[in-house]
Amino acid sequence: MNKPLYLSIMEETKDMHEKIDRGKLPAHIAIIMDGNGRWAQQRGEHRVFGHQNGVDSVRETAEAAAELGIRYLTLYAFSTENWNRPREEINALMHLLVITINNEIKTLNDNNIRLRAMGNLHCLDKKVKEELNEALEKTSHNTRMDLVLALSYSGRWEIVEAAKSIAIQVKEEKLSVDKINEKLFSSYMNLPDIPDPELLIRTSGEFRISNFLMWQTAYTELYFTQKLWPDFRKNDLYEAIVDFQQRERRFGKTSEQIINCKG
Ligand code: IPE
Ligand code: IPE
Ligand code: MG
């Protein structure tokens, strides 16, 4: 007799979960949550329906990451370029953001998760800014995991902002040009205390970075899945982590050097 589908999914999830090496977890995972619109359209629904269902995936993924002991999870929620979408989709997304942030504060606190944000936050609607600031403030004491939302964010924008700040420091003679190096540049990024992500996941079968974390992903392992974001579940995160753990991160060295170093 065939097993019920839910039992198979539970077993599959358990298997994948058990394959994860707890000693080799990435400290920081970043995700480009893509495919909401297509998910909705496949069901004959408006794109916004996809965004609404994507919230469940955010919840599941954040829960799975926290349970595993991932220290930082960064989610690309709205790019600078997304401001070019139809006004009604932007409004719906902003509205969804307000409701979700508001609803999740208690869960975040119950789970000791700190909400953080990066991006050109001044551009956000007043109501979104207010809700966001409240949630940032109310969860600021939490220490188990930082859940970072990239909002009105683009990697090039962040790099240009850093360059501008550095230029001002030089102009005001507070910084000399020969002090500018990669370490200093990194310290001018939006959240400089957070280490670069070891793993970047993109859903929906697109193979591009779309202006996400351009500086921080210089040596990040990239993982692409066909799954559309509203279908992304804990097991998909486990699969990505297991895949990541099988890779050899060489950082320019030879494989032999890496193996000898381990031994
Ligand atoms: C990702 O899903 C969510 C945002 C960019 C806000 P999309 O809305 O890009 O969905 P597709 O890629 O059109 O399917
Ligand atoms: C990237 O998805 C931005 C977010 C997930 C927030 P897009 O759907 O906007 O990316 P492109 O335009 O297809 O590259
Ligand atoms: Mg998209």
Side-chain angles (χ1 to χ4, degrees):
M1 206 175 75
N2 280 342
K3 251 185 248 164
L5 183 64
Y6 74 91
L7 270 184
S8 308
I9 293 174
M10 274 169 69
E11 277 172 17
E12 221 176 82
T13 306
K14 196 167 151 260
D15 285 354
M16 221 15 107
H17 190 257
E18 279 169 4
K19 280 190 195 153
I20 295 175
D21 179 346
R22 299 302 185 110
K24 273 173 64 185
L25 283 173
H28 183 182
I29 300 178
I31 307 183
I32 302 176
M33 313 183 285
D34 198 16
N36 296 351
R38 277 164 283 170
W39 187 90
Q41 279 157 351
Q42 282 172 6
R43 286 158 180 77
E45 299 280 351
H46 194 274
R47 297 175 54 83
V48 173
F49 184 65
H51 299 315
Q52 288 162 346
N53 280 275
V55 176
D56 292 338
S57 306
V58 171
R59 219 174 274 125
E60 276 237 2
T61 307
E63 197 179 287
E67 284 165 358
L68 279 173
I70 303 297
R71 186 61 187 81
Y72 305 96
L73 177 67
T74 300
L75 303 176
Y76 203 7
F78 194 84
S79 73
T80 308
E81 290 76 17
N82 290 148
W83 288 115
N84 298 318
R85 291 200 177 187
R87 191 66 229 182
E88 65 273 21
E89 184 171 341
I90 297 175
N91 290 344
L93 272 165
M94 292 300 146
H95 182 63
L96 190 61
L97 209 58
V98 170
I99 301 174
T100 309
I101 291 172
N102 208 321
N103 284 344
E104 296 302 315
I105 297 180
K106 187 175 179 315
T107 314
L108 290 169
N109 278 332
D110 288 348
N111 290 288
N112 195 13
I113 298 172
R114 177 181 180 187
L115 188 74
R116 302 184 72 180
M118 67 194 304
N120 196 354
L121 306 177
H122 305 293
C123 291
L124 296 172
D125 304 359
K126 191 166 162 275
K127 185 80 190 141
V128 181
K129 257 188 287 192
E130 282 170 9
E131 291 293 335
L132 182 66
N133 285 334
E134 193 188 328
L136 298 178
E137 167 64 30
K138 283 190 173 163
T139 63
S140 60
H141 56 282
N142 294 332
T143 53
R144 182 184 182 194
M145 182 176 88
D146 285 15
L147 174 62
V148 184
L149 293 183
L151 286 170
S152 187
Y153 173 84
S154 95
R156 286 190 173 182
W157 164 83
E158 189 185 25
I159 293 170
V160 170
E161 286 302 300
K164 277 200 264 185
S165 303
I166 293 170
I168 291 168
Q169 295 285 306
V170 172
K171 193 174 158 209
E172 292 176 355
E173 294 181 359
K174 289 176 186 154
L175 179 70
S176 74
V177 173
D178 52 283
K179 287 274 182 311
I180 302 173
N181 55 24
E182 287 185 17
K183 191 160 176 269
L184 178 115
F185 211 96
S186 293
S187 76
Y188 280 82
M189 291 290 141
N190 274 199
L191 299 172
D193 60 302
I194 299 186
D196 293 343
E198 293 97 322
L199 171 63
L200 169 66
I201 300 170
R202 184 176 188 143
T203 59
S204 91
E206 307 292 355
F207 299 98
R208 55 179 173 266
I209 302 291
S210 300
N211 218 345
F212 193 34
L213 304 176
M214 299 300 295
W215 175 263
Q216 298 87 339
T217 52
Y219 252 110
T220 300
E221 295 296 327
L222 309 180
Y223 178 87
F224 298 99
T225 166
Q226 292 296 325
K227 277 270 168 91
L228 302 176
W229 178 250
D231 287 329
F232 197 86
R233 287 292 170 270
K234 287 185 177 182
N235 200 48
D236 299 298
L237 182 74
Y238 301 155
E239 252 179 59
I241 294 173
V242 169
D243 189 283
F244 163 82
Q245 291 183 331
Q246 284 158 2
R247 301 187 189 184
E248 182 178 62
R249 305 189 74 203
R250 289 190 288 278
F251 299 99
K253 293 182 181 170
T254 67
S255 191
E256 290 71 23
Q257 285 176 293
I258 304 293
I259 293 161
N260 290 341
C261 195
K262 273 185 206 150

